[in-house]
Amino acid sequence: MIFFLTIFLTRMLRSLLILSIVFNLQSLERKLVRVPMTSTREKGLIVSFGEMLIDFVPTESGVSLAESPGFLKAPGGAPANVAIAVTRLGGRSAFVGKLGGDEFGHMLAGILRENGVDDTGVSFDKGARTALAFVTLRSDGEREFMFYRNPSADMLLRPDELNLELIRSAKVFHYGSISLITEPCRSAHLKAMEVAKEAGALLSYDPNLREPLWPSPEEARKQIMSIWDKAEIIKVSDVELEFLTENKKIDDESAMSLWHPNLKLLLVTLGEDGCRYYTKKFHGAVQTFNVNAVDTTGAGDSFIGAFLSKIVDDQSVLEDEKKLRKVLRFANACGAITTTKKGAIPALPSDSEALSFIKDNQRRKDNTFRVGYVSCLHSSLDSRLQQIPCSR
């Protein structure tokens, strides 16, 4: 009798213990830290400067442009991608650049407006076409580009065409390097940077290297680095780090060779390996999320857009490593989601999509842990039951 009572009580205790563990895990899951988001009206303005174009993405991956059976028309251009990434996440953004006075140009301006981007900084050129890019997708989702822009309208933006009032209203001014390739756009770029900085904007720089557009690799490095010490936030990919440092090593020493005194944060994106971050006081790495990548176009733009949207009104993130890591995890999630669809802008996630993605990923991890832990607990308790002496 005592033996059966002992077994009954032990099994009841085991069940209560398991239920307690499950309850605590679920409670922890509900308390997962979410990146705080304020309303659109409270958000500062992020102004993105540069090019917007049409990407033609092959319907089949792993084939050459000539072999592709067809192409999907997708709006793109890194600075425009960033502007839309910000508004998709509930932020405020504006785009400054020049489009062709053709159907593609007006279509792109319409897409900006449809996505809530302020397009009062957009001008049109009736004598030039909107830029086109044909994208080759490799079987692993990586891509190569063929551009049609000789010259395209974005290259012809003049300093006197800039909407200076819009630029002065920016809390963050974001730009790339393609607008540095030729005049008069180069002068317009430098003027816009100067005006934004004088107005107190935080300068954000993503070189977005497109080597085929430059006369030579040497000229690309020279021009990209010519404005390097102006930026306070710089984001480069692992490929761009190799290119700029002329060093095949992707490590802290190589990254820190790009540091300059005015810099507040250097970000290095590593694709499926996440990202690394460097500040004056600390550095580290944040892992990304595992997804089935279909097209990596726009992933880096989604990443930096998400990041800027979360720090535009709270720049203390740049000095607080714990907060920075949370924001970078959110940015990694946005970048990962963007690779799961073809085309850049169509694949950019909303805030709710990104948060659900993070929560689902965490739930899968918790379930894996819970199953493993409960299984281990069962085995341990069964082992102890076998050790209880039989009393009759």
Side-chain angles (χ1 to χ4, degrees), residues 127-146:
R129 298 296 187 188
T130 300
L132 307 178
F134 285 82
V135 187
T136 302
L137 293 178
R138 301 203 308 250
S139 56
D140 61 358
E142 288 296 329
R143 73 269 192 245
E144 297 172 353
F145 295 88
M146 178 184 292

Side-chain angles (χ1 to χ4, degrees), residues 49 157-160 162 167 173 179 183-193:
F49 176 94
L157 180 65
R158 303 188 310 271
D160 62 284
L162 294 172
I167 293 170
F173 185 73
S179 46
E183 292 288 358
C185 189
R186 175 178 167 78
S187 292
H189 183 145
L190 298 177
K191 176 68 175 178
M193 279 178 54

Side-chain angles (χ1 to χ4, degrees), residues 311-327:
I311 64 101
V312 62
D313 291 313
D314 184 12
Q315 294 184 24
S316 69
V317 170
L318 304 177
E319 300 175 356
D320 184 325
E321 186 169 14
K322 184 178 180 181
K323 290 166 70 173
L324 177 62
R325 290 182 64 87
K326 289 176 184 176
V327 171

Side-chain angles (χ1 to χ4, degrees), residues 288-331:
T288 191
F289 300 81
N290 293 323
V291 295
N292 294 320
V294 174
D295 179 8
T296 60
T297 305
D301 306 325
S302 180
F303 170 89
I304 192 64
F307 178 79
L308 294 177
S309 75
K310 296 303 179 185
I311 64 101
V312 62
D313 291 313
D314 184 12
Q315 294 184 24
S316 69
V317 170
L318 304 177
E319 300 175 356
D320 184 325
E321 186 169 14
K322 184 178 180 181
K323 290 166 70 173
L324 177 62
R325 290 182 64 87
K326 289 176 184 176
V327 171
L328 288 175
R329 187 165 184 264
F330 179 82

Side-chain angles (χ1 to χ4, degrees), residues 202-205 231-235 263 265 307-308 311 318:
L202 183 75
L203 300 188
S204 168
Y205 186 20
E232 294 155 285
I233 294 176
I234 295 177
K235 176 243 147 188
L263 196 55
L265 175 67
F307 178 79
L308 294 177
I311 64 101
L318 304 177

Side-chain angles (χ1 to χ4, degrees), residues 14 24 26 46 49 103 107 195 214 225 232 237 239 251 255 271 284 294 297 310 331-332 335 366 378 384-385:
R14 177 175 64 182
N24 287 331
Q26 290 175 338
I46 298 171
F49 176 94
E103 290 189 19
M107 181 195 80
V195 170
W214 292 90
M225 298 303 296
E232 294 155 285
S237 68
V239 174
D251 55 20
V294 174
T297 305
K310 296 303 179 185
N332 276 345
D366 288 345
H378 270 290
R384 291 183 182 182
L385 275 175

